[in-house]
Amino acid sequence: MRKKSSGCILIAPLVLGCLVFYLAPFLLVLRFSFSAGSGKSIRLVGLENYQRILRNESFMLAFGNSLRFFAVGLPLIMVFAYLIALLMQKQADRHKLLKSVFLFPYIMPVAGTVLLVDLLFSEAGLLNSLLGALGLPAGDWLAGPSAFWVTIGLYLWKNAGYAVILLLAGLITIPTEQYESADLDGANTWQRFFYITTPQMWYSVFFALVFSVINGFKCFREIFLIGGQEPGDEIYMLQHFINNSFESMNYASLSVSSILLLAVILIFFGLFYGFVERKEAYRA
């Protein structure tokens, strides 16, 4: 009983902090999403705010761009990180310096990242200088359709290393005896990958995917500094819409867009986690 009391006392500040700084604001946002007005004149309007925002062209543009960003960026970062982790699997202990190098872009300050992008892709940047030296036409890489692919490249460069470390941590827990037994049975590389590696990596892939999504939303900082508050249509993301709603004190749009974003993320992770659970249950 005394141990339980001590444990409750120790976790009380954490629980209290979560209630005050996470649960209470979430409930307030949920209330605003179904309300209109402010102060004492606030009133419930049901799903009216949701209907209005789903007819908002700016929201639909931002929502579509965000979906496209993750539809392209997530598969690329997961495949790229998985391939590198597989290459490092057998000699993970010898690649400590390389693992540190992979994490360097992740810890690089936002301002430094933006300066690097500007140095490479601005109108007077290195890429246009190289194209000019080769007699090729220069381009405005930070505007138009090319801006989207610059942000995808930035996302991969900055966050792939972190995904590599997470996946590598899962790979090195797979017993080497299983690979040795498979070799004795005449299994080839693809058979070892599909029947030994992949079945034991689903949870690692899930956690790498979770952090890749989180880091994808963090890319808004770089996109905001590159494109400004009103960037081109190609890189106008949900975070821009939410930020603009906050600045204009439009709490209804801010709350509804945040709730819809949360719902999409929870549905996506719920479906993938269910897929992982079925794979693990089948393997057991």
Side-chain angles (χ1 to χ4, degrees):
M1 187 66 181
R2 189 174 299 175
K3 289 183 178 181
K4 286 185 178 181
S5 301
S6 301
C8 291
I9 293 173
L10 288 173
I11 67 172
L14 178 61
V15 173
L16 182 62
C18 289
L19 291 175
V20 173
F21 296 108
Y22 290 96
L23 182 59
F26 173 75
L27 295 176
L28 188 62
V29 167
L30 193 62
R31 179 195 177 198
F32 276 125
S33 71
F34 293 103
S35 306
S38 60
K40 295 183 179 180
S41 62
I42 193 169
R43 66 189 189 282
L44 292 177
V45 294
L47 296 176
E48 183 179 320
N49 291 332
Y50 289 85
Q51 295 171 349
R52 183 185 299 113
I53 204 168
L54 290 175
R55 294 193 296 265
N56 187 301
E57 293 183 2
S58 296
F59 173 80
M60 296 309 297
L61 174 65
F63 188 76
N65 283 339
S66 298
L67 285 182
R68 185 163 66 109
F69 178 84
F70 283 109
V72 174
L74 278 181
L76 286 177
I77 198 171
M78 295 304 297
V79 170
F80 182 66
Y82 204 178
L83 288 175
I84 294 179
L86 287 170
L87 291 174
M88 298 173 60
Q89 179 183 7
K90 291 184 178 180
Q91 297 179 332
D93 293 337
R94 300 183 183 181
H95 297 300
K96 293 180 180 179
L97 178 61
L98 188 58
K99 287 188 283 187
S100 300
V101 172
F102 280 145
L103 288 176
F104 176 74
Y106 184 76
I107 63 175
M108 188 172 180
V110 176
T113 304
V114 173
L115 287 174
L116 179 62
V117 172
D118 189 64
L119 176 66
L120 293 174
F121 299 107
S122 66
E123 292 186 20
L126 294 179
L127 181 56
N128 280 339
S129 298
L130 178 61
L131 292 174
L134 296 174
L136 299 174
D140 188 3
W141 305 104
L142 298 180
S146 57
F148 174 78
W149 295 105
V150 170
T151 59
I152 290 292
L154 176 62
Y155 170 60
L156 295 177
W157 173 77
K158 192 170 180 65
N159 300 293
Y162 191 73
V164 169
I165 301 303
L166 292 175
L167 293 172
L168 186 60
L171 286 171
I172 61 179
T173 61
I174 300 175
T176 56
E177 293 82 2
Q178 296 183 11
Y179 293 106
E180 294 171 356
S181 299
D183 289 335
L184 292 175
D185 291 335
N188 57 34
T189 302
W190 288 108
Q191 288 172 328
R192 292 197 300 269
F193 174 74
F194 284 113
Y195 296 108
I196 297 177
T197 304
T198 301
Q200 300 183 71
M201 283 294 294
W202 284 116
Y203 280 121
S204 297
V205 170
F206 175 75
F207 285 113
L209 189 67
V210 169
F211 282 100
S212 295
V213 171
I214 293 172
N215 292 331
F217 284 110
K218 289 181 180 179
C219 273
F220 165 71
R221 300 171 301 182
E222 288 84 357
I223 297 173
F224 186 86
L225 291 177
I226 292 170
Q229 187 173 354
E230 298 290 343
D233 288 350
E234 291 77 11
I235 57 173
Y236 184 75
M237 303 292 181
L238 267 175
Q239 295 95 323
H240 286 100
F241 182 84
I242 292 172
N243 185 71
N244 293 341
S245 298
F246 178 77
E247 289 195 356
S248 62
M249 306 291 284
N250 190 342
Y251 293 124
S253 294
L254 172 65
S255 302
V256 172
S257 55
S258 300
I259 294 296
L260 290 176
L261 177 60
L262 176 63
V264 171
I265 293 174
L266 291 178
I267 290 172
F268 172 74
F269 283 139
L271 291 174
F272 190 78
Y273 185 75
F275 172 78
V276 171
E277 283 287 286
R278 287 196 299 271
K279 287 291 184 180
E280 288 294 318
Y282 177 78
R283 185 168 68 91

